[in-house]
Amino acid sequence: KLFIKDLCFEKVPVRIYQPKVPSASQWRGVMFFHGGGWVFGSLESHEKLCRSIARESESVVVSVGYRLAPEHKYPAAYEDCLNATIHFMKNTEHYGVDPARIIICGDSAGGNLAAAVSQTLAGRSDLPRLRAQILIYPGLQALDFNLPSYQQNQRVPLLFRECAAFFVLQYLNGDAPNLEEVLEGSHMPIDIKLNYRKWVSPDNIPEKFKVRGYKPHVLLDCTTEVYETVKRFCEPNLCPLLAEDAIVQQLPESFILTCEYDVLRDDGLLYKKRLEDNGVRVTWYHLEDGFHGIINSFNSGWLSFSSGKRGLDNIVNFLKGL
């Protein structure tokens, strides 16, 4: 039911999925950034998911094969996703896509990249305005690895708390010598943490998400040496939750999917609150029985999970409404 083609946009490998059914109007265009902690993942790893989205929502899906860490450090992945997206936005007529209906989508680290690219494009007057962003259990900050969801789900597969911190350090620096400091929260000066507390704080997480074994974490200070190695964690292109209100206010309609048994759950909840506080329309879907990575398992034979299919159906329904 699909035409599938491998191309390069601005030297970035992409795979395009186009529905074969004729359409009376132009298609929706979905830019898709795969997950994998900025270290793993590929066009192949998310092939089934992209096929499903293209087929079920009758959209053109462009999956982006961005460069991976640790060989390619931040901002390589972000720049690849941004450049591929801009190329697509400028050439929609070649793919029968309506420039007013371009959606950016990603899961996990791909959700991080989707949020960062959306923020960068929000202020661009020379390009069409994005129609929406779809963030599937995104990782959006690296200031606090002791939020309730990090404590509650620290040993829940497929993403352990230590791995989440390790991956973001690999993306930032290509190695992870300060893993312990990042996990305990002694990688950022207290004044910086207090400055961002209005956005990154357990106080902004609804109480019902704290009942499952959460203990407030003591604020620790940090040494200058450690801070020097991770200070770019304050850049919104790396941690989109830290973008200024003026940027957040310009973001398009958003869909956020979170899972209860996921260390990244609270990143999604905090971003949902930020978007809503700034007048952005948010559709939020929470999988009470979901865990990190579940959307990619919707069609894995004996390893399939019905809630993964439920999550995917909700993403498709959201797309169909755009």
Side-chain angles (χ1 to χ4, degrees):
K1 295 182 179 175
L2 300 169
F3 294 112
I4 302 176
K5 196 180 197 175
D6 286 354
L7 293 171
C8 278
F9 285 178
E10 310 295 324
K11 299 185 185 149
V12 182
V14 298
R15 182 166 294 166
I16 302 183
Y17 303 82
Q18 277 177 297
K20 284 183 179 173
V21 292
S23 169
S25 57
Q26 292 174 300
W27 305 107
R28 263 178 241 96
V30 179
M31 293 298 299
F32 184 86
F33 311 143
H34 66 76
W38 304 278
V39 175
F40 302 109
S42 64
L43 298 177
E44 270 70 37
S45 67
H46 286 61
E47 165 95 12
K48 279 185 182 171
L49 180 58
C50 289
R51 282 182 191 219
S52 265
I53 293 171
R55 203 174 52 236
E56 311 278 324
S57 71
E58 295 191 352
S59 306
V60 172
V61 174
V62 180
S63 182
V64 179
Y66 56 84
R67 286 170 292 167
L68 298 174
E71 293 79 11
H72 302 282
K73 296 185 287 203
Y74 168 78
Y78 157 77
E79 286 175 346
D80 285 357
C81 291
L82 177 64
N83 292 336
T85 302
I86 291 172
H87 177 92
F88 184 63
M89 293 174 99
K90 288 179 172 173
N91 293 281
T92 48
E93 73 278 4
H94 297 317
Y95 308 101
V97 167
D98 180 352
R101 287 201 299 164
I102 295 175
I103 299 101
I104 292 194
C105 175
D107 68 312
S108 190
N112 165 284
L113 295 165
V117 169
S118 292
Q119 289 180 1
T120 305
L121 295 175
R124 293 272 299 249
S125 54
D126 59 324
L127 292 166
R129 183 173 151 73
L130 287 173
R131 179 64 185 85
Q133 61 174 347
I134 297 174
L135 310 178
I136 305 167
Y137 32 73
L140 300 168
Q141 59 87 31
L143 260 58
D144 190 348
F145 286 87
N146 291 284
L147 290 167
S149 62
Y150 269 110
Q151 292 187 25
Q152 295 159 346
N153 304 310
Q154 57 184 312
R155 291 185 191 87
V156 177
L158 299 169
L159 183 64
F160 299 154
R161 173 171 169 263
E162 272 190 24
C163 295
F166 176 78
F167 285 146
V168 76
L169 281 166
Q170 289 280 321
Y171 179 38
L172 175 66
N173 289 327
D175 54 24
N178 305 117
L179 186 61
E180 286 308 312
E181 290 87 349
V182 168
L183 286 167
E184 70 179 14
S186 62
H187 62 305
M188 286 280 158
I190 283 186
D191 58 331
I192 287 182
K193 279 188 234 173
L194 292 174
N195 181 40
Y196 287 119
R197 191 127 199 175
K198 57 187 184 280
W199 299 330
V200 183
S201 163
D203 301 344
N204 293 340
I205 304 289
E207 286 305 315
K208 68 174 182 178
F209 290 105
K210 296 180 194 169
V211 289
R212 203 164 45 87
Y214 163 65
K215 292 190 182 70
H217 190 68
V218 182
L219 269 185
L220 300 172
D221 213 344
C222 85
T223 64
T224 316
E225 297 85 63
V226 172
Y227 175 57
E228 276 305 310
T229 66
V230 298
K231 62 183 178 191
R232 295 186 80 183
F233 277 162
C234 297
E235 294 180 16
N237 289 342
L238 182 60
C239 295
L241 194 51
L242 308 185
E244 293 298 326
D245 284 344
I247 299 287
V248 177
Q249 282 156 15
Q250 298 180 64
L251 288 169
E253 184 178 346
S254 303
F255 178 101
I256 297 177
L257 183 137
T258 52
C259 293
E260 181 58 34
Y261 300 100
D262 179 5
V263 289
L264 298 183
R265 179 196 71 199
D266 293 351
D267 283 26
L269 295 178
L270 291 171
Y271 204 47
K272 169 182 180 281
K273 181 180 188 316
R274 286 221 55 205
L275 290 164
E276 289 172 342
D277 288 351
N278 282 283
V280 177
R281 190 169 156 199
V282 180
T283 301
W284 172 53
Y285 190 70
H286 185 63
L287 288 171
E288 293 284 352
D289 52 351
F291 54 86
H292 193 82
I294 196 166
I295 298 299
N296 225 16
S297 75
F298 74 97
N299 187 15
S300 309
W302 62 275
L303 245 185
S304 290
F305 293 91
S306 59
S307 52
K309 180 77 174 86
R310 251 194 351 268
L312 181 59
D313 289 345
N314 272 272
I315 292 164
V316 167
N317 287 338
F318 175 77
L319 274 170
K320 283 178 163 174
L322 300 173

